[in-house]
Amino acid sequence: MELSPTTQKYILHWGEMGTRWGVNRTVAQIHALLFLANEPLTAEDIAASLNVARSNVSNSLKELQSWGLARITHVMGDRRDHFVALQDVWEIFRVIMEERKRREIDPTLTVLRECAIEGEHDAAIDPATLARMGEVLAFLEMLSSTYSDYKNLPPATLQRMLSMGGKVAKFLSPEDKPAKPKKPGKSGQQQ
């Protein structure tokens, strides 16, 4: 598959971003290639397009499948496995968020909950330290709960919510607005 210069730039950048997000560069590049492809690709097609070793492609495809970001499909008259990526941006976002939560947040919450219980009986721990641990636990539990509330909303609803941006914050937090100066009374002093 011949890649245009713009497609190459996109794939290279997606690989760079992947490394910043803790994802192997080749895994991210293959994901970008599959996302941009207009037809299912074989592992050989992927290896040739990205100039990557076939074994690296195979391992990367397994990783993408474990995340639910790519799947095997078949093409009539070809016995080889072909691969496609999710094409809906909102579904990709949802899958990545769900996997990140499952792989990173949930185990962290388990350990933090254990620390909170053990810390109550640990005479050697400073109360301020235990309080900070509790703050992190409360924060992550709030994020996890919020994610659970929003994860099944339709994409159109999420898009409207995100496009509202700071308008929601202004509506929901009137106590954060600066105090208005009081009008002067009859004596000329502020009340």
Side-chain angles (χ1 to χ4, degrees):
M1 176 176 167
E2 188 68 30
L3 303 177
S4 75
T6 304
T7 302
Q8 289 178 21
K9 181 178 181 178
Y10 186 101
I11 291 169
L12 289 171
H13 182 72
W14 201 250
E16 291 301 316
M17 289 309 300
T19 61
R20 293 182 183 132
W21 296 331
V23 176
N24 175 285
R25 180 186 326 271
T26 305
V27 171
Q29 287 178 347
I30 291 172
H31 180 249
L33 176 65
L34 290 173
F35 177 72
L36 296 176
N38 293 318
E39 70 238 358
L41 300 176
T42 65
E44 293 79 14
D45 295 334
I46 295 166
S49 296
L50 299 178
N51 197 23
V52 177
R54 177 64 174 77
S55 60
N56 197 352
V57 169
S58 181
N59 291 331
S60 297
L61 286 168
K62 287 177 187 170
E63 179 70 12
L64 287 169
Q65 289 174 73
S66 78
W67 277 80
L69 294 171
R71 65 179 174 79
I72 295 174
T73 190
H74 294 97
V75 174
M76 187 69 76
D78 191 340
R79 294 182 352 188
R80 298 175 297 173
D81 288 338
H82 290 70
F83 298 88
V84 294
L86 290 175
Q87 295 296 302
D88 183 299
V89 174
W90 291 96
E91 183 65 11
I92 292 168
F93 177 74
R94 188 197 64 73
V95 166
I96 290 171
M97 291 302 295
E98 185 66 32
E99 282 298 310
R100 287 271 188 201
K101 181 183 178 302
R102 185 180 69 78
R103 294 173 185 222
E104 298 166 24
I105 302 298
D106 291 349
T108 300
L109 279 170
T110 299
V111 172
L112 291 176
R113 288 177 184 130
E114 291 170 359
C115 289
I117 292 167
E118 293 167 10
E120 292 294 327
H121 307 289
D122 185 349
I125 194 168
D126 186 275
T129 301
L130 186 59
R132 285 192 300 276
M133 287 180 181
E135 289 173 15
V136 173
L137 174 59
F139 176 76
L140 287 178
E141 284 180 330
M142 179 186 66
L143 285 179
S144 182
S145 175
T146 301
Y147 171 73
S148 294
D149 291 341
Y150 291 109
K151 74 179 181 180
N152 293 317
L153 290 176
T157 302
L158 285 173
Q159 190 172 8
R160 283 194 305 274
M161 287 176 56
L162 291 173
S163 68
M164 292 173 67
K167 296 172 191 163
V168 172
K170 289 176 186 174
F171 175 75
L172 294 176
S173 58
E175 66 275 1
D176 292 339
K177 293 180 182 175
K180 293 181 181 178
K182 295 181 181 178
K183 294 180 182 177
K186 290 182 181 178
S187 64
Q189 299 176 353
Q190 289 193 0
Q191 296 180 347

Short mmCIF file of all heavy atoms in Angstrom, two decimals, residues 4-55:
data_model
loop_
_atom_site.label_atom_id
_atom_site.label_comp_id
_atom_site.label_asym_id
_atom_site.label_seq_id
_atom_site.Cartn_x
_atom_site.Cartn_y
_atom_site.Cartn_z
N SER A 4 0.60 8.28 1.00
CA SER A 4 0.86 9.66 0.60
C SER A 4 1.71 10.35 1.67
O SER A 4 1.76 9.88 2.82
CB SER A 4 -0.46 10.42 0.43
OG SER A 4 -1.00 10.73 1.71
N PRO A 5 2.37 11.44 1.34
CA PRO A 5 3.17 12.16 2.35
C PRO A 5 2.34 12.58 3.57
O PRO A 5 2.81 12.49 4.71
CB PRO A 5 3.70 13.38 1.59
CG PRO A 5 3.74 12.95 0.17
CD PRO A 5 2.56 12.02 0.00
N THR A 6 1.10 13.00 3.34
CA THR A 6 0.24 13.41 4.46
C THR A 6 -0.11 12.21 5.34
O THR A 6 -0.09 12.30 6.57
CB THR A 6 -1.04 14.09 3.94
OG1 THR A 6 -0.67 15.18 3.10
CG2 THR A 6 -1.89 14.59 5.08
N THR A 7 -0.41 11.09 4.71
CA THR A 7 -0.71 9.87 5.46
C THR A 7 0.51 9.42 6.26
O THR A 7 0.39 9.04 7.43
CB THR A 7 -1.17 8.75 4.51
OG1 THR A 7 -2.31 9.21 3.78
CG2 THR A 7 -1.53 7.49 5.26
N GLN A 8 1.68 9.49 5.65
CA GLN A 8 2.92 9.15 6.37
C GLN A 8 3.10 10.05 7.59
O GLN A 8 3.43 9.56 8.68
CB GLN A 8 4.13 9.27 5.45
CG GLN A 8 4.21 8.22 4.39
CD GLN A 8 5.40 8.43 3.47
OE1 GLN A 8 6.37 9.10 3.80
NE2 GLN A 8 5.33 7.85 2.27
N LYS A 9 2.90 11.34 7.41
CA LYS A 9 3.05 12.29 8.52
C LYS A 9 2.08 11.96 9.65
O LYS A 9 2.45 11.96 10.82
CB LYS A 9 2.81 13.72 8.00
CG LYS A 9 2.95 14.79 9.05
CD LYS A 9 2.75 16.17 8.44
CE LYS A 9 2.92 17.25 9.50
NZ LYS A 9 2.77 18.60 8.90
N TYR A 10 0.83 11.67 9.30
CA TYR A 10 -0.19 11.31 10.28
C TYR A 10 0.24 10.07 11.07
O TYR A 10 0.20 10.05 12.30
CB TYR A 10 -1.52 11.08 9.58
CG TYR A 10 -2.69 10.84 10.49
CD1 TYR A 10 -3.58 11.86 10.77
CD2 TYR A 10 -2.93 9.58 11.05
CE1 TYR A 10 -4.67 11.64 11.60
CE2 TYR A 10 -4.01 9.36 11.88
CZ TYR A 10 -4.89 10.39 12.16
OH TYR A 10 -5.95 10.16 12.98
N ILE A 11 0.64 9.03 10.35
CA ILE A 11 1.02 7.77 10.99
C ILE A 11 2.25 7.96 11.88
O ILE A 11 2.29 7.46 13.00
CB ILE A 11 1.26 6.68 9.92
CG1 ILE A 11 -0.08 6.30 9.28
CG2 ILE A 11 1.95 5.46 10.51
CD1 ILE A 11 0.05 5.44 8.04
N LEU A 12 3.25 8.68 11.39
CA LEU A 12 4.44 8.93 12.21
C LEU A 12 4.10 9.70 13.47
O LEU A 12 4.59 9.39 14.56
CB LEU A 12 5.50 9.68 11.39
CG LEU A 12 6.20 8.86 10.31
CD1 LEU A 12 7.06 9.76 9.43
CD2 LEU A 12 7.03 7.74 10.93
N HIS A 13 3.25 10.70 13.33
CA HIS A 13 2.88 11.48 14.51
C HIS A 13 2.07 10.64 15.49
O HIS A 13 2.27 10.73 16.71
CB HIS A 13 2.09 12.74 14.13
CG HIS A 13 1.73 13.57 15.32
ND1 HIS A 13 2.67 14.30 16.02
CD2 HIS A 13 0.57 13.74 15.97
CE1 HIS A 13 2.09 14.89 17.04
NE2 HIS A 13 0.80 14.57 17.03
N TRP A 14 1.16 9.82 14.97
CA TRP A 14 0.37 8.95 15.85
C TRP A 14 1.29 8.01 16.63
O TRP A 14 1.05 7.75 17.81
CB TRP A 14 -0.66 8.16 15.03
CG TRP A 14 -1.81 7.66 15.84
CD1 TRP A 14 -2.06 6.36 16.17
CD2 TRP A 14 -2.84 8.44 16.44
NE1 TRP A 14 -3.19 6.28 16.93
CE2 TRP A 14 -3.70 7.54 17.11
CE3 TRP A 14 -3.14 9.79 16.47
CZ2 TRP A 14 -4.82 7.96 17.81
CZ3 TRP A 14 -4.27 10.21 17.16
CH2 TRP A 14 -5.10 9.30 17.82
N GLY A 15 2.33 7.54 15.98
CA GLY A 15 3.32 6.70 16.66
C GLY A 15 4.04 7.46 17.77
O GLY A 15 4.28 6.93 18.86
N GLU A 16 4.41 8.72 17.49
CA GLU A 16 5.06 9.55 18.51
C GLU A 16 4.13 9.80 19.69
O GLU A 16 4.54 9.72 20.85
CB GLU A 16 5.51 10.90 17.91
CG GLU A 16 6.65 10.78 16.92
CD GLU A 16 7.88 10.16 17.53
OE1 GLU A 16 8.26 10.52 18.66
OE2 GLU A 16 8.48 9.29 16.88
N MET A 17 2.88 10.12 19.39
CA MET A 17 1.92 10.35 20.47
C MET A 17 1.70 9.07 21.27
O MET A 17 1.56 9.13 22.49
CB MET A 17 0.58 10.86 19.90
CG MET A 17 0.65 12.28 19.38
SD MET A 17 1.37 13.47 20.55
CE MET A 17 0.26 13.32 21.93
N GLY A 18 1.68 7.95 20.58
CA GLY A 18 1.51 6.68 21.28
C GLY A 18 2.58 6.48 22.34
O GLY A 18 2.28 6.07 23.46
N THR A 19 3.83 6.79 22.00
CA THR A 19 4.90 6.60 22.99
C THR A 19 4.70 7.52 24.19
O THR A 19 5.02 7.15 25.32
CB THR A 19 6.29 6.85 22.36
OG1 THR A 19 6.38 8.19 21.90
CG2 THR A 19 6.57 5.89 21.23
N ARG A 20 4.15 8.70 23.97
CA ARG A 20 3.89 9.63 25.08
C ARG A 20 2.74 9.15 25.95
O ARG A 20 2.64 9.54 27.11
CB ARG A 20 3.61 11.03 24.54
CG ARG A 20 4.85 11.62 23.89
CD ARG A 20 4.62 13.02 23.39
NE ARG A 20 5.83 13.48 22.73
CZ ARG A 20 5.85 14.05 21.54
NH1 ARG A 20 4.73 14.26 20.89
NH2 ARG A 20 6.99 14.42 21.01
N TRP A 21 1.87 8.33 25.39
CA TRP A 21 0.74 7.79 26.13
C TRP A 21 1.04 6.40 26.68
O TRP A 21 0.16 5.73 27.20
CB TRP A 21 -0.50 7.71 25.24
CG TRP A 21 -1.00 9.04 24.76
CD1 TRP A 21 -0.89 10.25 25.38
CD2 TRP A 21 -1.71 9.29 23.55
NE1 TRP A 21 -1.48 11.22 24.63
CE2 TRP A 21 -1.99 10.67 23.50
CE3 TRP A 21 -2.13 8.49 22.50
CZ2 TRP A 21 -2.68 11.26 22.44
CZ3 TRP A 21 -2.81 9.08 21.45
CH2 TRP A 21 -3.09 10.45 21.43
N GLY A 22 2.28 5.95 26.53
CA GLY A 22 2.66 4.65 27.06
C GLY A 22 2.34 3.49 26.14
O GLY A 22 2.28 2.34 26.58
N VAL A 23 2.15 3.76 24.85
CA VAL A 23 1.85 2.73 23.87
C VAL A 23 3.07 2.57 22.97
O VAL A 23 3.67 3.56 22.56
CB VAL A 23 0.60 3.11 23.03
CG1 VAL A 23 0.33 2.09 21.94
CG2 VAL A 23 -0.61 3.28 23.93
N ASN A 24 3.40 1.36 22.64
CA ASN A 24 4.51 1.07 21.73
C ASN A 24 4.31 1.83 20.41
O ASN A 24 3.20 1.85 19.86
CB ASN A 24 4.56 -0.44 21.50
CG ASN A 24 5.58 -0.86 20.50
OD1 ASN A 24 5.37 -0.69 19.31
ND2 ASN A 24 6.67 -1.41 20.98
N ARG A 25 5.37 2.41 19.91
CA ARG A 25 5.32 3.22 18.68
C ARG A 25 4.74 2.43 17.50
O ARG A 25 3.88 2.93 16.77
CB ARG A 25 6.71 3.72 18.32
CG ARG A 25 6.78 4.56 17.07
CD ARG A 25 8.21 4.93 16.67
NE ARG A 25 9.11 5.15 17.77
CZ ARG A 25 9.29 6.32 18.39
NH1 ARG A 25 8.64 7.38 17.97
NH2 ARG A 25 10.14 6.43 19.39
N THR A 26 5.19 1.20 17.30
CA THR A 26 4.70 0.41 16.17
C THR A 26 3.23 0.08 16.33
O THR A 26 2.47 0.11 15.36
CB THR A 26 5.53 -0.88 16.01
OG1 THR A 26 6.91 -0.52 15.89
CG2 THR A 26 5.11 -1.67 14.80
N VAL A 27 2.79 -0.23 17.54
CA VAL A 27 1.37 -0.49 17.79
C VAL A 27 0.54 0.72 17.38
O VAL A 27 -0.47 0.60 16.68
CB VAL A 27 1.13 -0.85 19.27
CG1 VAL A 27 -0.36 -0.92 19.58
CG2 VAL A 27 1.81 -2.16 19.64
N ALA A 28 0.99 1.90 17.80
CA ALA A 28 0.26 3.13 17.47
C ALA A 28 0.27 3.39 15.96
O ALA A 28 -0.74 3.81 15.38
CB ALA A 28 0.85 4.31 18.24
N GLN A 29 1.40 3.17 15.32
CA GLN A 29 1.48 3.40 13.87
C GLN A 29 0.57 2.43 13.11
O GLN A 29 -0.10 2.83 12.15
CB GLN A 29 2.92 3.26 13.39
CG GLN A 29 3.80 4.41 13.80
CD GLN A 29 5.24 4.23 13.34
OE1 GLN A 29 5.66 3.15 12.93
NE2 GLN A 29 6.01 5.30 13.44
N ILE A 30 0.55 1.19 13.53
CA ILE A 30 -0.33 0.21 12.87
C ILE A 30 -1.78 0.60 13.08
O ILE A 30 -2.61 0.52 12.16
CB ILE A 30 -0.03 -1.23 13.35
CG1 ILE A 30 1.34 -1.66 12.82
CG2 ILE A 30 -1.13 -2.20 12.91
CD1 ILE A 30 1.83 -2.98 13.38
N HIS A 31 -2.10 1.05 14.29
CA HIS A 31 -3.48 1.50 14.54
C HIS A 31 -3.84 2.65 13.59
O HIS A 31 -4.92 2.66 12.98
CB HIS A 31 -3.66 1.92 15.99
CG HIS A 31 -5.04 2.39 16.27
ND1 HIS A 31 -5.33 3.70 16.55
CD2 HIS A 31 -6.23 1.72 16.27
CE1 HIS A 31 -6.64 3.83 16.73
NE2 HIS A 31 -7.20 2.64 16.56
N ALA A 32 -2.95 3.61 13.45
CA ALA A 32 -3.21 4.74 12.55
C ALA A 32 -3.37 4.27 11.11
O ALA A 32 -4.29 4.72 10.40
CB ALA A 32 -2.07 5.76 12.65
N LEU A 33 -2.51 3.36 10.67
CA LEU A 33 -2.61 2.85 9.31
C LEU A 33 -3.94 2.15 9.08
O LEU A 33 -4.63 2.41 8.08
CB LEU A 33 -1.46 1.87 9.01
CG LEU A 33 -1.49 1.19 7.65
CD1 LEU A 33 -1.31 2.21 6.52
CD2 LEU A 33 -0.41 0.11 7.58
N LEU A 34 -4.35 1.29 10.01
CA LEU A 34 -5.63 0.58 9.87
C LEU A 34 -6.80 1.55 9.91
O LEU A 34 -7.79 1.38 9.19
CB LEU A 34 -5.78 -0.48 10.95
CG LEU A 34 -4.86 -1.71 10.83
CD1 LEU A 34 -5.00 -2.59 12.06
CD2 LEU A 34 -5.15 -2.48 9.56
N PHE A 35 -6.70 2.57 10.75
CA PHE A 35 -7.77 3.56 10.85
C PHE A 35 -7.92 4.33 9.54
O PHE A 35 -9.04 4.61 9.09
CB PHE A 35 -7.48 4.53 12.00
CG PHE A 35 -8.48 5.63 12.14
CD1 PHE A 35 -9.76 5.38 12.61
CD2 PHE A 35 -8.15 6.92 11.77
CE1 PHE A 35 -10.69 6.41 12.71
CE2 PHE A 35 -9.07 7.96 11.87
CZ PHE A 35 -10.35 7.70 12.34
N LEU A 36 -6.81 4.65 8.91
CA LEU A 36 -6.86 5.44 7.67
C LEU A 36 -7.13 4.60 6.43
O LEU A 36 -7.55 5.14 5.40
CB LEU A 36 -5.54 6.19 7.49
CG LEU A 36 -5.22 7.24 8.56
CD1 LEU A 36 -3.85 7.84 8.31
CD2 LEU A 36 -6.30 8.32 8.63
N ALA A 37 -6.89 3.29 6.51
CA ALA A 37 -7.05 2.41 5.34
C ALA A 37 -8.51 2.34 4.91
O ALA A 37 -9.42 2.32 5.74
CB ALA A 37 -6.52 1.02 5.65
N ASN A 38 -8.71 2.26 3.61
CA ASN A 38 -10.06 2.16 3.07
C ASN A 38 -10.49 0.72 2.79
O ASN A 38 -11.58 0.50 2.27
CB ASN A 38 -10.17 3.00 1.79
CG ASN A 38 -10.03 4.47 2.09
OD1 ASN A 38 -10.58 4.96 3.06
ND2 ASN A 38 -9.27 5.17 1.27
N GLU A 39 -9.61 -0.22 3.13
CA GLU A 39 -9.93 -1.63 2.96
C GLU A 39 -9.14 -2.42 4.00
O GLU A 39 -8.16 -1.93 4.54
CB GLU A 39 -9.58 -2.11 1.55
CG GLU A 39 -8.11 -2.18 1.29
CD GLU A 39 -7.68 -1.32 0.10
OE1 GLU A 39 -8.52 -0.71 -0.54
OE2 GLU A 39 -6.47 -1.29 -0.14
N PRO A 40 -9.59 -3.63 4.32
CA PRO A 40 -8.85 -4.47 5.26
C PRO A 40 -7.43 -4.74 4.75
O PRO A 40 -7.21 -4.87 3.55
CB PRO A 40 -9.67 -5.76 5.32
CG PRO A 40 -11.04 -5.38 4.84
CD PRO A 40 -10.82 -4.27 3.85
N LEU A 41 -6.48 -4.82 5.67
CA LEU A 41 -5.08 -5.05 5.31
C LEU A 41 -4.58 -6.35 5.93
O LEU A 41 -4.95 -6.69 7.05
CB LEU A 41 -4.21 -3.89 5.81
CG LEU A 41 -4.53 -2.50 5.27
CD1 LEU A 41 -3.63 -1.47 5.95
CD2 LEU A 41 -4.37 -2.46 3.77
N THR A 42 -3.73 -7.05 5.20
CA THR A 42 -3.07 -8.24 5.75
C THR A 42 -1.85 -7.78 6.56
O THR A 42 -1.38 -6.64 6.43
CB THR A 42 -2.59 -9.17 4.64
OG1 THR A 42 -1.58 -8.50 3.89
CG2 THR A 42 -3.74 -9.61 3.74
N ALA A 43 -1.32 -8.68 7.36
CA ALA A 43 -0.11 -8.38 8.11
C ALA A 43 1.03 -8.06 7.16
O ALA A 43 1.86 -7.18 7.45
CB ALA A 43 0.24 -9.54 9.03
N GLU A 44 1.08 -8.75 6.03
CA GLU A 44 2.12 -8.48 5.04
C GLU A 44 1.98 -7.08 4.46
O GLU A 44 2.97 -6.38 4.25
CB GLU A 44 2.07 -9.53 3.92
CG GLU A 44 2.45 -10.94 4.35
CD GLU A 44 1.32 -11.68 5.08
OE1 GLU A 44 0.14 -11.26 5.04
OE2 GLU A 44 1.64 -12.70 5.74
N ASP A 45 0.73 -6.65 4.18
CA ASP A 45 0.49 -5.29 3.69
C ASP A 45 1.00 -4.26 4.70
O ASP A 45 1.62 -3.26 4.33
CB ASP A 45 -1.01 -5.04 3.47
CG ASP A 45 -1.64 -5.89 2.38
OD1 ASP A 45 -0.91 -6.33 1.46
OD2 ASP A 45 -2.87 -6.11 2.46
N ILE A 46 0.70 -4.52 5.95
CA ILE A 46 1.09 -3.59 7.02
C ILE A 46 2.61 -3.52 7.13
O ILE A 46 3.19 -2.43 7.19
CB ILE A 46 0.45 -4.01 8.36
CG1 ILE A 46 -1.07 -3.89 8.28
CG2 ILE A 46 1.01 -3.19 9.52
CD1 ILE A 46 -1.81 -4.59 9.41
N ALA A 47 3.26 -4.68 7.14
CA ALA A 47 4.72 -4.73 7.24
C ALA A 47 5.37 -3.98 6.09
O ALA A 47 6.32 -3.21 6.29
CB ALA A 47 5.20 -6.19 7.27
N ALA A 48 4.85 -4.17 4.88
CA ALA A 48 5.43 -3.49 3.72
C ALA A 48 5.16 -1.99 3.75
O ALA A 48 6.04 -1.19 3.44
CB ALA A 48 4.86 -4.10 2.44
N SER A 49 3.97 -1.59 4.14
CA SER A 49 3.61 -0.17 4.16
C SER A 49 4.42 0.62 5.17
O SER A 49 4.80 1.76 4.92
CB SER A 49 2.12 0.01 4.48
OG SER A 49 1.33 -0.55 3.48
N LEU A 50 4.68 0.00 6.33
CA LEU A 50 5.39 0.71 7.40
C LEU A 50 6.86 0.34 7.48
O LEU A 50 7.58 0.89 8.33
CB LEU A 50 4.71 0.42 8.74
CG LEU A 50 3.25 0.87 8.87
CD1 LEU A 50 2.70 0.49 10.24
CD2 LEU A 50 3.12 2.36 8.63
N ASN A 51 7.29 -0.60 6.62
CA ASN A 51 8.68 -1.06 6.65
C ASN A 51 9.05 -1.56 8.06
O ASN A 51 10.05 -1.14 8.65
CB ASN A 51 9.64 0.05 6.18
CG ASN A 51 10.99 -0.51 5.81
OD1 ASN A 51 11.12 -1.69 5.49
ND2 ASN A 51 12.01 0.34 5.87
N VAL A 52 8.22 -2.47 8.56
CA VAL A 52 8.37 -3.02 9.90
C VAL A 52 8.45 -4.54 9.77
O VAL A 52 7.82 -5.13 8.89
CB VAL A 52 7.16 -2.63 10.78
CG1 VAL A 52 7.22 -3.24 12.15
CG2 VAL A 52 7.04 -1.11 10.90
N ALA A 53 9.21 -5.17 10.64
CA ALA A 53 9.35 -6.63 10.61
C ALA A 53 8.00 -7.31 10.81
O ALA A 53 7.17 -6.86 11.60
CB ALA A 53 10.32 -7.08 11.70
N ARG A 54 7.79 -8.39 10.09
CA ARG A 54 6.53 -9.13 10.15
C ARG A 54 6.22 -9.58 11.57
O ARG A 54 5.07 -9.55 12.00
CB ARG A 54 6.61 -10.31 9.18
CG ARG A 54 5.42 -11.24 9.16
CD ARG A 54 4.15 -10.57 8.68
NE ARG A 54 3.06 -11.51 8.53
CZ ARG A 54 2.35 -12.00 9.54
NH1 ARG A 54 2.60 -11.65 10.77
NH2 ARG A 54 1.36 -12.85 9.29
N SER A 55 7.24 -10.02 12.32
CA SER A 55 7.02 -10.47 13.70
C SER A 55 6.54 -9.31 14.58
O SER A 55 5.69 -9.49 15.46
CB SER A 55 8.29 -11.09 14.28
OG SER A 55 9.34 -10.14 14.28
#
